[in-house]
Amino acid sequence: MSNTSALFSKTPVRWQSSPTPVLYPDAVSTMEARVSEIAAGLAEERVWILEHPALYTAGTSADVADLIEPDRFPVFKTGRGGQYTYHGPGQLVGYFMLDLRTRGRDVRAFVAGLEQLTIDTLADFGVEADRRTGRIGVWVNMTDSQGQKSEAKIAAIGVRIRKWVSFHGISIN
């Protein structure tokens, strides 16, 4: 049983996808409502897969000096962890609204489970990815045409927990 199985084995989760890009403020209001309903025991857990129009989200560690062109795309402050994350057409975003009261009140294990889910999913598509010590997210190794090796972050993770219900999640480049 992989870490992914452990994360999702407790109770079934409803997966939903949106066929067209979702405006960020609309996604946040939908997540906020769902999280409140889950916390109150009135709604089922949900994983929502979608795309956004081009934008940046600013996590709790974001520093405006990090944006090279701060006026290029709209910037939305959000309560999730992390720094700036670009979202846009062609990038998959997964919002995980899960009740961690029933899945274990361990945020580090939850983040590791999201990383493993991403690694397992990328492997299904023939992409070899892994974690990097001391960093959050999922990474790939690359070699350019001159044989120079480098790494790239293929998936960013930023979550928020309210009343032990998670929201926000992953973005896969």
Side-chain angles (χ1 to χ4, degrees):
M1 177 187 281
S2 72
N3 291 342
T4 302
S5 298
L7 180 64
F8 292 104
S9 66
K10 302 290 183 190
T11 56
V13 176
R14 180 160 181 243
W15 289 69
Q16 169 188 347
S17 63
S18 293
T20 58
V22 177
L23 296 174
Y24 188 74
D26 294 345
V28 170
S29 66
T30 298
M31 281 191 289
E32 295 269 356
R34 173 64 59 162
V35 166
S36 293
E37 292 169 353
I38 292 169
L42 301 174
E44 64 187 354
E45 297 171 299
R46 174 93 28 107
V47 175
W48 187 16
I49 306 298
L50 55 88
E51 294 180 33
H52 288 301
L55 60 94
Y56 291 114
T57 56
T60 55
S61 301
D63 180 348
V64 72
D66 292 338
L67 286 179
I68 296 169
E69 295 181 55
D71 297 326
R72 184 171 183 188
F73 302 117
V75 177
F76 295 91
K77 289 186 178 183
T78 181
R80 63 143 176 89
Q83 299 175 350
Y84 286 104
T85 302
Y86 167 80
H87 298 293
Q91 178 195 60
L92 289 181
V93 176
Y95 290 136
F96 291 77
M97 294 158 275
L98 302 177
D99 189 344
L100 300 184
R101 296 169 298 189
T102 63
R103 296 174 185 280
R105 295 177 190 227
D106 186 337
V107 177
R108 287 180 192 246
F110 174 62
V111 170
L114 292 178
E115 288 171 331
Q116 192 61 49
L117 172 67
T118 304
I119 291 165
D120 293 347
T121 301
L122 290 169
D124 288 344
F125 289 93
V127 177
E128 186 177 324
D130 57 34
R131 294 181 184 94
R132 301 296 156 99
T133 302
R135 296 187 271 174
I136 302 295
V138 177
W139 304 81
V140 293
N141 293 321
M142 301 184 314
T143 304
D144 68 17
S145 59
Q146 285 78 38
Q148 296 292 322
K149 295 185 184 282
S150 62
E151 66 177 12
K153 190 175 199 176
I154 193 167
I157 297 178
V159 297
R160 185 163 184 190
I161 311 296
R162 180 180 296 144
K163 296 183 179 179
W164 288 104
V165 178
S166 68
F167 57 122
H168 297 282
I170 62 172
S171 58
I172 302 174
N173 297 315

